[in-house]
Amino acid sequence: MAGILNIKRKRIAVFASGNGSNLQAIIDYSKSHDINGDVVFVLSNNMDAYALKRAVNARIDTECIPYKSNSSRTEFDRKIFRSINNKNIDLICLAGYMLLLSSDFINGYQNKIINIHPSLLPSFKGMHGIRDAFDYGVKITGVTVHFVDRELDNGPIILQEAVLINEGETFEKLEKNIHEVEHRLYPRAVQYFCRDELSIIERKVLITERS
């Protein structure tokens, strides 16, 4: 670990709207690996999100900022900006966060927001990546961790892993397999970021692991 001693330890925020299983995977991984970062804040737009309870159990600061369809998106974004800026966040991880981030917010945290998507991008973008791949009948799908830009599921790819869809496999089994890969892949991508092992050249993300 000597190679990262002089690198600033990263402060991580996780945005989640639901169960938060990927949040839990990052928390658990960070307990057994020196990722050079700490989840210090969890934000949700859903006051009933189990992710908030996971954060409380891990003694992580939380905040819920609900978004109402009849409210101003500009004001909503300002609330998130204020909340995040006060925490000195270095990395934002989207983990089942069900709201699209505005262009202004993304520009403010350029190359500091990552997301996990349950397909091999650029195939099957959107909210139903697992279902869409399953219904399409592909033989191979997978998981992608990528940087977030202003287009949906479009940013430079950090990591991908394929998942086979076996003949006769149910959607539920595929969903379980996808989640298992997510929980393994996302913490590794977070670790690469926090150890300053990622560089972006045009659309390509290079990984240079430190000794």
Side-chain angles (χ1 to χ4, degrees), residues 15-93:
F15 288 12
S17 298
N19 182 50
S21 63
N22 277 304
L23 163 65
Q24 190 66 56
I26 295 169
I27 292 172
D28 292 344
Y29 188 86
S30 67
K31 290 178 180 178
S32 57
H33 298 75
D34 183 6
I35 68 169
N36 196 50
D38 304 286
V39 179
V40 298
F41 182 58
V42 172
L43 181 138
S44 183
N45 62 309
N46 174 18
M47 63 184 301
D48 296 321
Y50 190 67
L52 294 174
K53 184 173 182 180
R54 292 182 189 273
V56 170
N57 290 341
R59 298 182 179 179
I60 296 169
D61 190 19
T62 67
E63 185 170 355
C64 181
I65 304 178
Y67 176 69
K68 299 178 181 179
S69 58
N70 60 350
S71 64
S72 165
R73 182 58 192 256
T74 301
E75 180 56 32
F76 178 75
D77 287 345
R78 284 177 184 156
K79 290 179 181 178
I80 296 179
F81 266 122
R82 286 195 295 267
S83 180
I84 292 295
N85 287 340
N86 290 337
K87 305 291 189 302
N88 298 314
I89 297 301
D90 300 295
L91 171 66
I92 297 171
C93 298

Side-chain angles (χ1 to χ4, degrees), residues 15 25 41 44 51 67 96 112 158 166 174 176 181 187 205 209-210:
F15 288 12
F41 182 58
S44 183
Y67 176 69
K112 294 182 178 180
I158 302 169
N166 297 312
L174 173 61
K176 180 177 181 291
V181 173
V205 177
E209 296 191 43
R210 299 175 184 270

